[in-house]
Amino acid sequence: MVLSEKQRLFIGLAVPDDVRRQLLMRLDGWRERFAFARWAHPDDWHITLHFIGETDADRIPAIVRALDESAAGARPFDVELRGLGTFGPPARPAVLHVLPAGRLEPLRALHAALGSALAQAIGFQPDARPYRPHLTLARKYAGAAPWNPASAAAETFGASWTARDACLFRSRLGHFPMYEILHRAPFGE
């Protein structure tokens, strides 16, 4: 694989095919009920750990080492998805997302370890805001009436998997799906 000089990168958990299928069974209904302008391609669904952003391609090996080191220190953990939420202004949210539930400590610990490893490896500065794991479904509410949060809160469903690795993704702006996995780092057993 030939990589250009700059790459738009992030690290996250890829959604396995069986969980993607479970969410896809609900997607048409969500699209009908929730007026968002841009829906993420199902192959792009993931839970972000860290957004790295525009990065020189020659820094990717150091990022991969930091990811491998952090992943090796983690153990497989369960990820549960339960319900919908939003980010942004309450009347016109910017993001519709699926909420992880249950024990979030392993996900938060991996986020913290990875942030430290990336800071040491490439001088990465993690986002100062608290980590809020989520799976983005859609962006930019476009409904005529203000958003009604009760409509999303009423969605009840469940999907889960055991996370066994974390991935380095690159964004390919203008492509659909947009994200490509460059590297998978398995968790320690």
Side-chain angles (χ1 to χ4, degrees):
M1 169 187 339
V2 177
L3 297 176
S4 62
E5 285 188 27
K6 290 270 189 189
Q7 298 291 313
R8 186 178 171 94
L9 304 174
F10 67 93
I11 296 173
L13 302 180
V15 175
D17 289 340
D18 60 325
V19 173
R20 183 177 292 107
R21 282 189 296 273
Q22 291 176 52
L23 295 174
L24 276 168
M25 288 190 292
R26 297 181 165 274
L27 187 60
D28 286 341
W30 289 337
R31 284 182 170 161
E32 288 175 18
R33 287 192 305 281
F34 306 131
F36 279 79
R38 293 188 326 264
W39 288 81
H41 191 287
D43 289 344
D44 286 339
W45 290 340
H46 66 278
I47 296 176
T48 301
L49 288 160
H50 284 286
F51 177 73
I52 301 168
E54 292 291 326
T55 305
D56 290 329
D58 63 358
R59 299 182 91 189
I60 291 175
I63 294 168
V64 166
R65 284 191 299 275
L67 172 56
D68 285 344
E69 172 189 304
S70 299
R75 300 290 173 261
F77 57 88
D78 291 335
V79 178
E80 297 177 51
L81 301 176
R82 303 269 184 267
L84 301 179
T86 58
F87 291 138
R92 306 215 60 82
V95 174
L96 175 68
H97 60 84
V98 179
L99 297 163
R103 286 192 66 239
L104 297 179
E105 293 84 7
L107 186 57
R108 292 185 192 284
L110 178 59
H111 172 263
L114 186 55
S116 295
L118 289 168
Q120 189 171 39
I122 62 166
F124 175 73
Q125 294 295 314
D127 194 333
R129 297 174 295 183
Y131 178 54
R132 295 170 61 186
H134 63 282
L135 184 157
T136 298
L137 289 174
R139 296 185 182 280
K140 196 173 180 191
Y141 178 68
W147 171 253
N148 177 2
S151 59
E155 288 291 317
T156 57
F157 64 93
S160 64
W161 78 93
T162 300
R164 299 187 182 282
D165 59 22
C167 302
L168 174 63
F169 293 85
R170 80 170 163 160
S171 298
R172 300 170 308 146
L173 299 178
H175 290 80
F176 200 67
M178 182 176 4
Y179 305 136
E180 176 186 9
I181 295 174
L182 297 179
H183 179 73
R184 283 185 180 268
F187 297 157
E189 296 293 330

